[in-house]
Amino acid sequence: MKLRSMTSLYLLSGDRLILLRRNSGIAKDLYVAAAGGHFEESELCSPEVCVLREAKEELGLEKEDIAGLALRYIALKYANGEIRQNYYFFGRISPEKAAGLTSNEGELVALSPEKAPDLPAPFCPPFVLRHWLETGRYDTRLYGGAATADGLEFSPMD
């Protein structure tokens, strides 16, 4: 059985959530976090190193550009003979940084966070975003989510 580890970075700027509408690959025309991707072998023990590398490669952002960077969700899903685990980070960037932000992966859009869960997306992100909107944005806990046929079931991990 294979294990696929990935990170995703949701960025907030003011009252807007920045999402990426992918322009290629398996997630083409789907809305995903502003940056993210697969772990490199040297990052397997540090999701933060992976998400910061992805933020640099895809958005040109450095660690100091992202305020309050925090791992908030870990989602597990079994699909196509592999366990997929995604580490979801949230952070903030200034409106000035957001205004000049571009991605080499597709089109960045800034929208009300409440609209995000209803956009076309891969399986797990809408459930992560709904939980964050209802619960996660009001605390600092780390949540784990296991995929079921109906979505993700979350539990605090503390």
Side-chain angles (χ1 to χ4, degrees):
M1 184 173 308
K2 278 181 69 176
L3 178 66
R4 182 187 303 229
S5 297
M6 300 161 281
T7 59
S8 294
L9 174 60
Y10 287 107
L11 290 172
L12 294 149
S13 182
D15 65 350
R16 297 291 188 207
L17 178 66
I18 300 169
L19 295 178
L20 172 70
R21 182 173 178 262
R22 299 263 328 208
N23 62 10
S24 64
I26 198 164
K28 184 177 184 345
D29 293 328
L30 297 180
Y31 289 82
V32 297
H38 294 86
F39 281 61
E40 292 185 356
E41 190 172 330
S42 64
E43 300 166 339
L44 291 177
C45 293
S46 181
E48 184 174 326
V49 170
C50 178
V51 80
L52 288 171
R53 175 185 52 78
E54 293 288 351
K56 171 94 174 159
E57 289 176 3
E58 296 178 8
L59 304 171
L61 293 175
E62 301 289 345
K63 182 176 184 175
E64 53 272 8
D65 295 325
I66 306 168
L69 179 67
L71 175 60
R72 299 299 314 284
Y73 292 88
I74 301 170
L76 297 172
K77 180 181 182 221
Y78 180 75
N80 300 325
E82 64 185 12
I83 297 171
R84 297 177 184 174
Q85 57 186 17
N86 202 324
Y87 296 82
Y88 293 91
F89 287 80
F90 284 75
R92 294 192 154 280
I93 61 171
S94 69
E96 296 78 29
K97 275 282 178 197
L101 207 58
T102 61
S103 173
N104 58 8
E105 298 281 330
E107 173 193 5
L108 293 171
V109 295
L111 53 107
S112 167
E114 288 76 15
K115 293 182 180 179
D118 297 324
L119 294 172
F123 182 79
C124 291
F127 299 105
V128 168
L129 288 168
R130 279 189 194 96
H131 188 274
W132 178 80
L133 285 165
E134 295 169 3
T135 304
R137 69 174 162 179
Y138 302 110
D139 64 33
T140 59
R141 298 171 95 175
L142 174 62
Y143 292 92
T148 67
D150 298 324
L152 288 175
E153 292 184 12
F154 292 101
S155 296
M157 296 182 70
D158 53 359

